[in-house]
Amino acid sequence: MESDYKDLIPQLDKEKLPQHIAIIMDGNGRWAQAHKMKRVNGHKAGVKVVKQMVETAREIGLKYLTVYAFSTENWGRSDYEVNYLLKLILDSLINEIDELTNNGVNIHFLGSKERLPKGYEKKVEENCRRSWENSELFLNVAMNYGGRQELVEAVKKIAASAVSGELAIADIDGNTISDNLYTAGMPDPDLIIRTSGEIRLSNYLIWQSTYAEFWFTETLWPDFTRSEFIQAIIDYQNRKRRFGKRK
Ligand code: FPP
């Protein structure tokens, strides 16, 4: 409930906010099935929750929010579902973009350009360009995203620089990889949330999640609330992160 989440906000330690939260929005299909609807209605219901999470992220002063909208594996779904999802994501963005931009949100799509319908990328770029001046909240929409694909593309770019003599092989390190990912220049996620009871990463931010904290809930994405979101952050703030060190 709205009031519940407002009551939880004062429990947050503003000094210890995660910089970057990444979400795996799972369970739309099961939600639709439970409500005797078509799977795609679950995705439609899920968009409303994305909007609420973006508002909440702004409200608490989060800097980076990344949502997994469409994975490279999602092409394996029916043509109907794939086309519905692609259109839903683009249409939702187009509908919300002015409000998001006016509210200081900077929007980027993370993912491969391959296989997306013709003109898709151009349309996204045209719509998002004005938001790129903003820096209040960075919203990443992982779209046609796969962690392995991202690493393959990074390796290709790095190899090309090495072959051209621009980059010495001895100089390749972890930063070289990070700088060639779709997330170049962004902090790694501190907290990864997955809904619907599944406990796996599903090819999401596999390089960037090395030291992320994980938070799993049985709640299906369309039922995920602002309260649960804040609860996940409070829980994160009570964890001891050592990054492999003793202190
Ligand atoms: C996983 O549920 C969810 C998806 C594959 C799609 C998520 C996309 C949205 C909520 C739309 C996002 C829109 C914007 C603008 C970012 P599932 O279908 O795998 O559910 P199931 O496991 O119950 O079948």
Side-chain angles (χ1 to χ4, degrees), residues 25-31 39 42-47 50 67-71 74 77 81 85 88-90 92-93 109 139 141 196 198 220-221:
M25 313 179 283
D26 200 6
N28 295 346
R30 277 164 283 167
W31 182 90
R39 290 180 54 78
H43 300 316
K44 198 169 153 195
V47 172
V50 175
V67 292
Y68 208 176
F70 190 93
S71 75
N74 287 152
R77 299 188 175 202
E81 186 171 345
L85 256 177
L88 178 73
I89 294 164
L90 190 57
S92 312
L93 171 79
F109 274 47
L139 171 65
V141 178
S196 91
E198 308 294 346
L220 304 175
W221 178 250

PDB file of all heavy atoms in Angstrom, residues 25-31 39 42-47 50 67-71 74 77 81 85 88-90 92-93 109 139 141 196 198 220-221, ligand 1:
ATOM      1  N   MET A  25      12.659  -8.604 -13.816  1.00  0.00           N
ATOM      2  CA  MET A  25      11.202  -8.500 -13.613  1.00  0.00           C
ATOM      3  C   MET A  25      10.569  -9.802 -14.098  1.00  0.00           C
ATOM      4  O   MET A  25      10.202  -9.920 -15.256  1.00  0.00           O
ATOM      5  CB  MET A  25      10.660  -7.332 -14.434  1.00  0.00           C
ATOM      6  CG  MET A  25      11.479  -6.060 -14.298  1.00  0.00           C
ATOM      7  SD  MET A  25      10.840  -4.699 -15.281  1.00  0.00           S
ATOM      8  CE  MET A  25      11.363  -5.101 -16.924  1.00  0.00           C
ATOM      9  N   ASP A  26      10.448 -10.766 -13.209  1.00  0.00           N
ATOM     10  CA  ASP A  26      10.000 -12.090 -13.651  1.00  0.00           C
ATOM     11  C   ASP A  26       8.606 -12.413 -13.097  1.00  0.00           C
ATOM     12  O   ASP A  26       8.226 -11.925 -12.030  1.00  0.00           O
ATOM     13  CB  ASP A  26      11.025 -13.129 -13.165  1.00  0.00           C
ATOM     14  CG  ASP A  26      10.925 -14.425 -13.954  1.00  0.00           C
ATOM     15  OD1 ASP A  26      10.156 -14.485 -14.935  1.00  0.00           O
ATOM     16  OD2 ASP A  26      11.613 -15.395 -13.582  1.00  0.00           O
ATOM     17  N   GLY A  27       7.897 -13.236 -13.854  1.00  0.00           N
ATOM     18  CA  GLY A  27       6.616 -13.760 -13.365  1.00  0.00           C
ATOM     19  C   GLY A  27       5.385 -13.146 -14.025  1.00  0.00           C
ATOM     20  O   GLY A  27       4.258 -13.403 -13.583  1.00  0.00           O
ATOM     21  N   ASN A  28       5.593 -12.404 -15.102  1.00  0.00           N
ATOM     22  CA  ASN A  28       4.439 -11.787 -15.774  1.00  0.00           C
ATOM     23  C   ASN A  28       3.481 -12.839 -16.345  1.00  0.00           C
ATOM     24  O   ASN A  28       2.261 -12.691 -16.257  1.00  0.00           O
ATOM     25  CB  ASN A  28       4.900 -10.889 -16.926  1.00  0.00           C
ATOM     26  CG  ASN A  28       5.705  -9.709 -16.443  1.00  0.00           C
ATOM     27  OD1 ASN A  28       5.712  -9.406 -15.257  1.00  0.00           O
ATOM     28  ND2 ASN A  28       6.385  -9.028 -17.350  1.00  0.00           N
ATOM     29  N   GLY A  29       4.070 -13.878 -16.939  1.00  0.00           N
ATOM     30  CA  GLY A  29       3.260 -14.937 -17.551  1.00  0.00           C
ATOM     31  C   GLY A  29       2.415 -15.651 -16.505  1.00  0.00           C
ATOM     32  O   GLY A  29       1.214 -15.870 -16.687  1.00  0.00           O
ATOM     33  N   ARG A  30       3.055 -15.997 -15.365  1.00  0.00           N
ATOM     34  CA  ARG A  30       2.330 -16.711 -14.305  1.00  0.00           C
ATOM     35  C   ARG A  30       1.245 -15.828 -13.690  1.00  0.00           C
ATOM     36  O   ARG A  30       0.175 -16.285 -13.331  1.00  0.00           O
ATOM     37  CB  ARG A  30       3.322 -17.180 -13.228  1.00  0.00           C
ATOM     38  CG  ARG A  30       3.996 -18.490 -13.594  1.00  0.00           C
ATOM     39  CD  ARG A  30       5.209 -18.726 -12.757  1.00  0.00           C
ATOM     40  NE  ARG A  30       6.329 -17.923 -13.213  1.00  0.00           N
ATOM     41  CZ  ARG A  30       7.446 -17.750 -12.519  1.00  0.00           C
ATOM     42  NH1 ARG A  30       7.581 -18.299 -11.339  1.00  0.00           N
ATOM     43  NH2 ARG A  30       8.425 -17.023 -13.023  1.00  0.00           N
ATOM     44  N   TRP A  31       1.536 -14.549 -13.594  1.00  0.00           N
ATOM     45  CA  TRP A  31       0.551 -13.607 -13.057  1.00  0.00           C
ATOM     46  C   TRP A  31      -0.690 -13.588 -13.962  1.00  0.00           C
ATOM     47  O   TRP A  31      -1.832 -13.656 -13.493  1.00  0.00           O
ATOM     48  CB  TRP A  31       1.171 -12.210 -12.976  1.00  0.00           C
ATOM     49  CG  TRP A  31       0.262 -11.161 -12.397  1.00  0.00           C
ATOM     50  CD1 TRP A  31       0.144 -10.816 -11.088  1.00  0.00           C
ATOM     51  CD2 TRP A  31      -0.664 -10.335 -13.124  1.00  0.00           C
ATOM     52  NE1 TRP A  31      -0.791  -9.827 -10.943  1.00  0.00           N
ATOM     53  CE2 TRP A  31      -1.309  -9.508 -12.172  1.00  0.00           C
ATOM     54  CE3 TRP A  31      -1.010 -10.210 -14.476  1.00  0.00           C
ATOM     55  CZ2 TRP A  31      -2.266  -8.562 -12.527  1.00  0.00           C
ATOM     56  CZ3 TRP A  31      -1.972  -9.281 -14.831  1.00  0.00           C
ATOM     57  CH2 TRP A  31      -2.591  -8.468 -13.860  1.00  0.00           C
ATOM     58  N   ARG A  39      -0.830 -14.346 -21.592  1.00  0.00           N
ATOM     59  CA  ARG A  39       0.489 -14.011 -21.038  1.00  0.00           C
ATOM     60  C   ARG A  39       0.834 -12.529 -21.227  1.00  0.00           C
ATOM     61  O   ARG A  39       1.375 -11.875 -20.349  1.00  0.00           O
ATOM     62  CB  ARG A  39       1.586 -14.827 -21.745  1.00  0.00           C
ATOM     63  CG  ARG A  39       1.586 -16.298 -21.444  1.00  0.00           C
ATOM     64  CD  ARG A  39       2.725 -16.968 -22.217  1.00  0.00           C
ATOM     65  NE  ARG A  39       3.997 -16.315 -21.933  1.00  0.00           N
ATOM     66  CZ  ARG A  39       4.715 -16.510 -20.826  1.00  0.00           C
ATOM     67  NH1 ARG A  39       4.285 -17.363 -19.929  1.00  0.00           N
ATOM     68  NH2 ARG A  39       5.844 -15.873 -20.637  1.00  0.00           N
ATOM     69  N   GLY A  42       0.128  -9.925 -18.734  1.00  0.00           N
ATOM     70  CA  GLY A  42       1.065  -9.855 -17.609  1.00  0.00           C
ATOM     71  C   GLY A  42       2.151  -8.820 -17.894  1.00  0.00           C
ATOM     72  O   GLY A  42       2.536  -8.042 -17.010  1.00  0.00           O
ATOM     73  N   HIS A  43       2.626  -8.807 -19.128  1.00  0.00           N
ATOM     74  CA  HIS A  43       3.658  -7.819 -19.484  1.00  0.00           C
ATOM     75  C   HIS A  43       3.082  -6.403 -19.389  1.00  0.00           C
ATOM     76  O   HIS A  43       3.723  -5.478 -18.912  1.00  0.00           O
ATOM     77  CB  HIS A  43       4.196  -8.073 -20.899  1.00  0.00           C
ATOM     78  CG  HIS A  43       4.823  -9.437 -21.065  1.00  0.00           C
ATOM     79  ND1 HIS A  43       5.674  -9.957 -20.134  1.00  0.00           N
ATOM     80  CD2 HIS A  43       4.699 -10.381 -22.038  1.00  0.00           C
ATOM     81  CE1 HIS A  43       6.067 -11.173 -20.525  1.00  0.00           C
ATOM     82  NE2 HIS A  43       5.479 -11.446 -21.671  1.00  0.00           N
ATOM     83  N   LYS A  44       1.836  -6.280 -19.883  1.00  0.00           N
ATOM     84  CA  LYS A  44       1.179  -4.965 -19.847  1.00  0.00           C
ATOM     85  C   LYS A  44       1.046  -4.483 -18.395  1.00  0.00           C
ATOM     86  O   LYS A  44       1.345  -3.331 -18.072  1.00  0.00           O
ATOM     87  CB  LYS A  44      -0.203  -5.095 -20.496  1.00  0.00           C
ATOM     88  CG  LYS A  44      -0.803  -3.799 -20.917  1.00  0.00           C
ATOM     89  CD  LYS A  44      -2.015  -4.060 -21.780  1.00  0.00           C
ATOM     90  CE  LYS A  44      -2.972  -2.903 -21.681  1.00  0.00           C
ATOM     91  NZ  LYS A  44      -4.288  -3.257 -22.204  1.00  0.00           N
ATOM     92  N   ALA A  45       0.651  -5.404 -17.510  1.00  0.00           N
ATOM     93  CA  ALA A  45       0.523  -5.040 -16.090  1.00  0.00           C
ATOM     94  C   ALA A  45       1.899  -4.704 -15.512  1.00  0.00           C
ATOM     95  O   ALA A  45       2.022  -3.845 -14.623  1.00  0.00           O
ATOM     96  CB  ALA A  45      -0.119  -6.191 -15.321  1.00  0.00           C
ATOM     97  N   GLY A  46       2.925  -5.361 -16.035  1.00  0.00           N
ATOM     98  CA  GLY A  46       4.289  -5.136 -15.544  1.00  0.00           C
ATOM     99  C   GLY A  46       4.809  -3.739 -15.830  1.00  0.00           C
ATOM    100  O   GLY A  46       5.614  -3.202 -15.066  1.00  0.00           O
ATOM    101  N   VAL A  47       4.345  -3.142 -16.899  1.00  0.00           N
ATOM    102  CA  VAL A  47       4.817  -1.791 -17.255  1.00  0.00           C
ATOM    103  C   VAL A  47       4.458  -0.785 -16.160  1.00  0.00           C
ATOM    104  O   VAL A  47       5.245   0.090 -15.811  1.00  0.00           O
ATOM    105  CB  VAL A  47       4.232  -1.340 -18.619  1.00  0.00           C
ATOM    106  CG1 VAL A  47       4.563   0.115 -18.900  1.00  0.00           C
ATOM    107  CG2 VAL A  47       4.749  -2.221 -19.737  1.00  0.00           C
ATOM    108  N   VAL A  50       6.958  -0.946 -13.505  1.00  0.00           N
ATOM    109  CA  VAL A  50       8.222  -0.292 -13.885  1.00  0.00           C
ATOM    110  C   VAL A  50       8.102   1.201 -13.566  1.00  0.00           C
ATOM    111  O   VAL A  50       8.988   1.810 -12.965  1.00  0.00           O
ATOM    112  CB  VAL A  50       8.542  -0.472 -15.402  1.00  0.00           C
ATOM    113  CG1 VAL A  50       9.792   0.310 -15.786  1.00  0.00           C
ATOM    114  CG2 VAL A  50       8.695  -1.942 -15.767  1.00  0.00           C
ATOM    115  N   VAL A  67      16.569  -2.200 -15.676  1.00  0.00           N
ATOM    116  CA  VAL A  67      15.503  -3.218 -15.706  1.00  0.00           C
ATOM    117  C   VAL A  67      15.698  -4.126 -16.928  1.00  0.00           C
ATOM    118  O   VAL A  67      16.029  -3.667 -18.007  1.00  0.00           O
ATOM    119  CB  VAL A  67      14.086  -2.578 -15.732  1.00  0.00           C
ATOM    120  CG1 VAL A  67      13.780  -1.884 -14.409  1.00  0.00           C
ATOM    121  CG2 VAL A  67      13.900  -1.609 -16.890  1.00  0.00           C
ATOM    122  N   TYR A  68      15.474  -5.427 -16.685  1.00  0.00           N
ATOM    123  CA  TYR A  68      15.672  -6.437 -17.738  1.00  0.00           C
ATOM    124  C   TYR A  68      14.357  -6.562 -18.506  1.00  0.00           C
ATOM    125  O   TYR A  68      13.427  -7.235 -18.056  1.00  0.00           O
ATOM    126  CB  TYR A  68      16.012  -7.764 -17.061  1.00  0.00           C
ATOM    127  CG  TYR A  68      16.853  -8.742 -17.839  1.00  0.00           C
ATOM    128  CD1 TYR A  68      17.268  -9.940 -17.251  1.00  0.00           C
ATOM    129  CD2 TYR A  68      17.265  -8.501 -19.146  1.00  0.00           C
ATOM    130  CE1 TYR A  68      18.065 -10.850 -17.924  1.00  0.00           C
ATOM    131  CE2 TYR A  68      18.063  -9.415 -19.828  1.00  0.00           C
ATOM    132  CZ  TYR A  68      18.460 -10.584 -19.207  1.00  0.00           C
ATOM    133  OH  TYR A  68      19.253 -11.496 -19.866  1.00  0.00           O
ATOM    134  N   ALA A  69      14.272  -5.907 -19.650  1.00  0.00           N
ATOM    135  CA  ALA A  69      13.000  -5.869 -20.370  1.00  0.00           C
ATOM    136  C   ALA A  69      12.883  -6.985 -21.403  1.00  0.00           C
ATOM    137  O   ALA A  69      11.801  -7.538 -21.608  1.00  0.00           O
ATOM    138  CB  ALA A  69      12.836  -4.516 -21.056  1.00  0.00           C
ATOM    139  N   PHE A  70      14.006  -7.300 -22.073  1.00  0.00           N
ATOM    140  CA  PHE A  70      13.945  -8.318 -23.143  1.00  0.00           C
ATOM    141  C   PHE A  70      15.336  -8.917 -23.304  1.00  0.00           C
ATOM    142  O   PHE A  70      16.289  -8.199 -23.610  1.00  0.00           O
ATOM    143  CB  PHE A  70      13.491  -7.652 -24.455  1.00  0.00           C
ATOM    144  CG  PHE A  70      13.154  -8.624 -25.549  1.00  0.00           C
ATOM    145  CD1 PHE A  70      11.848  -9.057 -25.726  1.00  0.00           C
ATOM    146  CD2 PHE A  70      14.143  -9.103 -26.404  1.00  0.00           C
ATOM    147  CE1 PHE A  70      11.540  -9.974 -26.733  1.00  0.00           C
ATOM    148  CE2 PHE A  70      13.835 -10.009 -27.409  1.00  0.00           C
ATOM    149  CZ  PHE A  70      12.531 -10.444 -27.585  1.00  0.00           C
ATOM    150  N   SER A  71      15.429 -10.214 -23.084  1.00  0.00           N
ATOM    151  CA  SER A  71      16.754 -10.847 -23.144  1.00  0.00           C
ATOM    152  C   SER A  71      16.999 -11.446 -24.523  1.00  0.00           C
ATOM    153  O   SER A  71      16.046 -11.676 -25.299  1.00  0.00           O
ATOM    154  CB  SER A  71      16.849 -11.951 -22.088  1.00  0.00           C
ATOM    155  OG  SER A  71      16.110 -13.077 -22.504  1.00  0.00           O
ATOM    156  N   ASN A  74      14.844 -14.285 -25.070  1.00  0.00           N
ATOM    157  CA  ASN A  74      13.398 -14.096 -25.233  1.00  0.00           C
ATOM    158  C   ASN A  74      12.924 -14.226 -26.688  1.00  0.00           C
ATOM    159  O   ASN A  74      11.727 -14.370 -26.945  1.00  0.00           O
ATOM    160  CB  ASN A  74      12.939 -12.741 -24.669  1.00  0.00           C
ATOM    161  CG  ASN A  74      12.930 -12.683 -23.150  1.00  0.00           C
ATOM    162  OD1 ASN A  74      13.085 -11.630 -22.551  1.00  0.00           O
ATOM    163  ND2 ASN A  74      12.745 -13.825 -22.501  1.00  0.00           N
ATOM    164  N   ARG A  77      10.506 -17.106 -27.689  1.00  0.00           N
ATOM    165  CA  ARG A  77       9.064 -17.161 -27.392  1.00  0.00           C
ATOM    166  C   ARG A  77       8.258 -17.075 -28.694  1.00  0.00           C
ATOM    167  O   ARG A  77       8.827 -16.853 -29.743  1.00  0.00           O
ATOM    168  CB  ARG A  77       8.703 -16.010 -26.453  1.00  0.00           C
ATOM    169  CG  ARG A  77       9.470 -16.148 -25.152  1.00  0.00           C
ATOM    170  CD  ARG A  77       9.030 -15.173 -24.106  1.00  0.00           C
ATOM    171  NE  ARG A  77       9.744 -15.467 -22.869  1.00  0.00           N
ATOM    172  CZ  ARG A  77       9.354 -15.113 -21.673  1.00  0.00           C
ATOM    173  NH1 ARG A  77       8.245 -14.433 -21.524  1.00  0.00           N
ATOM    174  NH2 ARG A  77      10.065 -15.433 -20.609  1.00  0.00           N
ATOM    175  N   GLU A  81       4.147 -13.182 -28.908  1.00  0.00           N
ATOM    176  CA  GLU A  81       4.624 -12.601 -27.640  1.00  0.00           C
ATOM    177  C   GLU A  81       5.824 -11.676 -27.874  1.00  0.00           C
ATOM    178  O   GLU A  81       5.915 -10.590 -27.282  1.00  0.00           O
ATOM    179  CB  GLU A  81       4.972 -13.712 -26.629  1.00  0.00           C
ATOM    180  CG  GLU A  81       5.325 -13.134 -25.269  1.00  0.00           C
ATOM    181  CD  GLU A  81       5.463 -14.176 -24.158  1.00  0.00           C
ATOM    182  OE1 GLU A  81       5.017 -15.320 -24.329  1.00  0.00           O
ATOM    183  OE2 GLU A  81       6.041 -13.815 -23.108  1.00  0.00           O
ATOM    184  N   LEU A  85       5.839  -7.770 -27.016  1.00  0.00           N
ATOM    185  CA  LEU A  85       6.795  -7.209 -26.042  1.00  0.00           C
ATOM    186  C   LEU A  85       7.601  -6.056 -26.642  1.00  0.00           C
ATOM    187  O   LEU A  85       7.762  -5.005 -26.013  1.00  0.00           O
ATOM    188  CB  LEU A  85       7.760  -8.306 -25.590  1.00  0.00           C
ATOM    189  CG  LEU A  85       7.531  -8.904 -24.223  1.00  0.00           C
ATOM    190  CD1 LEU A  85       8.525 -10.024 -23.956  1.00  0.00           C
ATOM    191  CD2 LEU A  85       7.647  -7.848 -23.111  1.00  0.00           C
ATOM    192  N   LEU A  88       5.343  -3.138 -26.944  1.00  0.00           N
ATOM    193  CA  LEU A  88       4.971  -2.626 -25.613  1.00  0.00           C
ATOM    194  C   LEU A  88       6.113  -1.782 -25.027  1.00  0.00           C
ATOM    195  O   LEU A  88       5.882  -0.692 -24.478  1.00  0.00           O
ATOM    196  CB  LEU A  88       4.661  -3.804 -24.682  1.00  0.00           C
ATOM    197  CG  LEU A  88       4.306  -3.444 -23.241  1.00  0.00           C
ATOM    198  CD1 LEU A  88       2.910  -2.830 -23.176  1.00  0.00           C
ATOM    199  CD2 LEU A  88       4.340  -4.680 -22.337  1.00  0.00           C
ATOM    200  N   ILE A  89       7.332  -2.278 -25.152  1.00  0.00           N
ATOM    201  CA  ILE A  89       8.470  -1.576 -24.564  1.00  0.00           C
ATOM    202  C   ILE A  89       8.662  -0.228 -25.265  1.00  0.00           C
ATOM    203  O   ILE A  89       8.792   0.812 -24.617  1.00  0.00           O
ATOM    204  CB  ILE A  89       9.752  -2.452 -24.620  1.00  0.00           C
ATOM    205  CG1 ILE A  89       9.557  -3.688 -23.721  1.00  0.00           C
ATOM    206  CG2 ILE A  89      10.985  -1.662 -24.223  1.00  0.00           C
ATOM    207  CD1 ILE A  89      10.551  -4.814 -23.950  1.00  0.00           C
ATOM    208  N   LEU A  90       8.625  -0.251 -26.599  1.00  0.00           N
ATOM    209  CA  LEU A  90       8.827   1.004 -27.342  1.00  0.00           C
ATOM    210  C   LEU A  90       7.668   1.983 -27.102  1.00  0.00           C
ATOM    211  O   LEU A  90       7.883   3.170 -26.825  1.00  0.00           O
ATOM    212  CB  LEU A  90       8.981   0.699 -28.844  1.00  0.00           C
ATOM    213  CG  LEU A  90       9.420   1.865 -29.703  1.00  0.00           C
ATOM    214  CD1 LEU A  90      10.748   2.439 -29.214  1.00  0.00           C
ATOM    215  CD2 LEU A  90       9.576   1.443 -31.160  1.00  0.00           C
ATOM    216  N   SER A  92       5.639   2.132 -24.566  1.00  0.00           N
ATOM    217  CA  SER A  92       5.632   2.633 -23.184  1.00  0.00           C
ATOM    218  C   SER A  92       6.660   3.748 -23.062  1.00  0.00           C
ATOM    219  O   SER A  92       6.411   4.777 -22.429  1.00  0.00           O
ATOM    220  CB  SER A  92       5.989   1.544 -22.179  1.00  0.00           C
ATOM    221  OG  SER A  92       5.275   0.392 -22.416  1.00  0.00           O
ATOM    222  N   LEU A  93       7.801   3.519 -23.682  1.00  0.00           N
ATOM    223  CA  LEU A  93       8.855   4.531 -23.626  1.00  0.00           C
ATOM    224  C   LEU A  93       8.373   5.832 -24.276  1.00  0.00           C
ATOM    225  O   LEU A  93       8.494   6.915 -23.696  1.00  0.00           O
ATOM    226  CB  LEU A  93      10.106   4.011 -24.350  1.00  0.00           C
ATOM    227  CG  LEU A  93      11.188   5.048 -24.541  1.00  0.00           C
ATOM    228  CD1 LEU A  93      11.967   5.220 -23.256  1.00  0.00           C
ATOM    229  CD2 LEU A  93      12.140   4.661 -25.656  1.00  0.00           C
ATOM    230  N   PHE A 109      19.213   2.464 -23.550  1.00  0.00           N
ATOM    231  CA  PHE A 109      18.912   1.062 -23.803  1.00  0.00           C
ATOM    232  C   PHE A 109      20.230   0.308 -23.801  1.00  0.00           C
ATOM    233  O   PHE A 109      21.190   0.755 -24.432  1.00  0.00           O
ATOM    234  CB  PHE A 109      18.206   0.906 -25.164  1.00  0.00           C
ATOM    235  CG  PHE A 109      16.705   1.087 -25.074  1.00  0.00           C
ATOM    236  CD1 PHE A 109      16.158   2.156 -24.387  1.00  0.00           C
ATOM    237  CD2 PHE A 109      15.848   0.178 -25.679  1.00  0.00           C
ATOM    238  CE1 PHE A 109      14.780   2.314 -24.282  1.00  0.00           C
ATOM    239  CE2 PHE A 109      14.455   0.324 -25.584  1.00  0.00           C
ATOM    240  CZ  PHE A 109      13.933   1.394 -24.885  1.00  0.00           C
ATOM    241  N   LEU A 139      18.228   5.644 -16.025  1.00  0.00           N
ATOM    242  CA  LEU A 139      17.382   4.463 -16.189  1.00  0.00           C
ATOM    243  C   LEU A 139      17.871   3.675 -17.399  1.00  0.00           C
ATOM    244  O   LEU A 139      17.854   4.170 -18.529  1.00  0.00           O
ATOM    245  CB  LEU A 139      15.921   4.891 -16.406  1.00  0.00           C
ATOM    246  CG  LEU A 139      14.960   3.772 -16.796  1.00  0.00           C
ATOM    247  CD1 LEU A 139      14.809   2.741 -15.669  1.00  0.00           C
ATOM    248  CD2 LEU A 139      13.587   4.334 -17.176  1.00  0.00           C
ATOM    249  N   VAL A 141      17.306   0.459 -19.787  1.00  0.00           N
ATOM    250  CA  VAL A 141      16.373  -0.586 -20.184  1.00  0.00           C
ATOM    251  C   VAL A 141      17.197  -1.644 -20.936  1.00  0.00           C
ATOM    252  O   VAL A 141      17.720  -1.369 -22.015  1.00  0.00           O
ATOM    253  CB  VAL A 141      15.253  -0.005 -21.083  1.00  0.00           C
ATOM    254  CG1 VAL A 141      14.306  -1.111 -21.524  1.00  0.00           C
ATOM    255  CG2 VAL A 141      14.497   1.095 -20.347  1.00  0.00           C
ATOM    256  N   SER A 196       9.446 -13.407  -8.481  1.00  0.00           N
ATOM    257  CA  SER A 196       8.770 -14.642  -8.921  1.00  0.00           C
ATOM    258  C   SER A 196       9.373 -15.943  -8.395  1.00  0.00           C
ATOM    259  O   SER A 196       8.998 -17.023  -8.853  1.00  0.00           O
ATOM    260  CB  SER A 196       8.637 -14.720 -10.444  1.00  0.00           C
ATOM    261  OG  SER A 196       9.742 -15.381 -11.015  1.00  0.00           O
ATOM    262  N   GLU A 198      12.287 -17.307  -8.708  1.00  0.00           N
ATOM    263  CA  GLU A 198      13.396 -17.963  -9.419  1.00  0.00           C
ATOM    264  C   GLU A 198      14.704 -17.428  -8.856  1.00  0.00           C
ATOM    265  O   GLU A 198      14.849 -16.214  -8.668  1.00  0.00           O
ATOM    266  CB  GLU A 198      13.344 -17.668 -10.927  1.00  0.00           C
ATOM    267  CG  GLU A 198      12.019 -17.941 -11.601  1.00  0.00           C
ATOM    268  CD  GLU A 198      11.644 -19.424 -11.613  1.00  0.00           C
ATOM    269  OE1 GLU A 198      12.508 -20.277 -11.334  1.00  0.00           O
ATOM    270  OE2 GLU A 198      10.467 -19.711 -11.868  1.00  0.00           O
ATOM    271  N   LEU A 220       5.222 -12.055  -7.818  1.00  0.00           N
ATOM    272  CA  LEU A 220       5.290 -11.968  -9.282  1.00  0.00           C
ATOM    273  C   LEU A 220       5.408 -10.490  -9.657  1.00  0.00           C
ATOM    274  O   LEU A 220       4.822  -9.624  -8.984  1.00  0.00           O
ATOM    275  CB  LEU A 220       4.034 -12.589  -9.904  1.00  0.00           C
ATOM    276  CG  LEU A 220       3.756 -14.050  -9.484  1.00  0.00           C
ATOM    277  CD1 LEU A 220       2.420 -14.538 -10.051  1.00  0.00           C
ATOM    278  CD2 LEU A 220       4.890 -14.979  -9.935  1.00  0.00           C
ATOM    279  N   TRP A 221       6.144 -10.200 -10.727  1.00  0.00           N
ATOM    280  CA  TRP A 221       6.465  -8.798 -11.028  1.00  0.00           C
ATOM    281  C   TRP A 221       5.241  -7.859 -11.011  1.00  0.00           C
ATOM    282  O   TRP A 221       5.297  -6.788 -10.395  1.00  0.00           O
ATOM    283  CB  TRP A 221       7.239  -8.675 -12.346  1.00  0.00           C
ATOM    284  CG  TRP A 221       7.517  -7.253 -12.679  1.00  0.00           C
ATOM    285  CD1 TRP A 221       6.971  -6.521 -13.676  1.00  0.00           C
ATOM    286  CD2 TRP A 221       8.401  -6.359 -11.960  1.00  0.00           C
ATOM    287  NE1 TRP A 221       7.444  -5.233 -13.645  1.00  0.00           N
ATOM    288  CE2 TRP A 221       8.321  -5.103 -12.602  1.00  0.00           C
ATOM    289  CE3 TRP A 221       9.222  -6.495 -10.838  1.00  0.00           C
ATOM    290  CZ2 TRP A 221       9.045  -3.997 -12.162  1.00  0.00           C
ATOM    291  CZ3 TRP A 221       9.945  -5.390 -10.400  1.00  0.00           C
ATOM    292  CH2 TRP A 221       9.846  -4.163 -11.067  1.00  0.00           C
TER     293      TRP A 221
HETATM  294  C1  FPP B   1       9.459 -12.066 -17.474  1.00  0.00           C
HETATM  295  O1  FPP B   1       8.222 -12.678 -17.179  1.00  0.00           O
HETATM  296  C2  FPP B   1       9.243 -10.752 -18.054  1.00  0.00           C
HETATM  297  C3  FPP B   1       9.609 -10.392 -19.321  1.00  0.00           C
HETATM  298  C4  FPP B   1      10.271 -11.314 -20.247  1.00  0.00           C
HETATM  299  C5  FPP B   1       9.311  -9.041 -19.871  1.00  0.00           C
HETATM  300  C6  FPP B   1       9.413  -7.893 -18.911  1.00  0.00           C
HETATM  301  C7  FPP B   1       9.031  -6.646 -19.607  1.00  0.00           C
HETATM  302  C8  FPP B   1       8.196  -5.692 -19.109  1.00  0.00           C
HETATM  303  C9  FPP B   1       7.584  -5.752 -17.764  1.00  0.00           C
HETATM  304  C10 FPP B   1       7.927  -4.479 -19.925  1.00  0.00           C
HETATM  305  C11 FPP B   1       8.979  -3.441 -19.583  1.00  0.00           C
HETATM  306  C12 FPP B   1       8.728  -2.162 -20.242  1.00  0.00           C
HETATM  307  C13 FPP B   1       9.588  -1.101 -20.163  1.00  0.00           C
HETATM  308  C14 FPP B   1       9.201   0.167 -20.781  1.00  0.00           C
HETATM  309  C15 FPP B   1      10.910  -1.177 -19.507  1.00  0.00           C
HETATM  310  P1  FPP B   1       7.850 -14.073 -17.853  1.00  0.00           P
HETATM  311  O2  FPP B   1       7.082 -13.805 -19.094  1.00  0.00           O
HETATM  312  O3  FPP B   1       9.093 -14.878 -18.078  1.00  0.00           O
HETATM  313  O4  FPP B   1       6.957 -14.713 -16.757  1.00  0.00           O
HETATM  314  P2  FPP B   1       6.776 -16.266 -16.432  1.00  0.00           P
HETATM  315  O5  FPP B   1       8.112 -16.758 -15.959  1.00  0.00           O
HETATM  316  O6  FPP B   1       5.739 -16.254 -15.362  1.00  0.00           O
HETATM  317  O7  FPP B   1       6.306 -16.925 -17.686  1.00  0.00           O
END
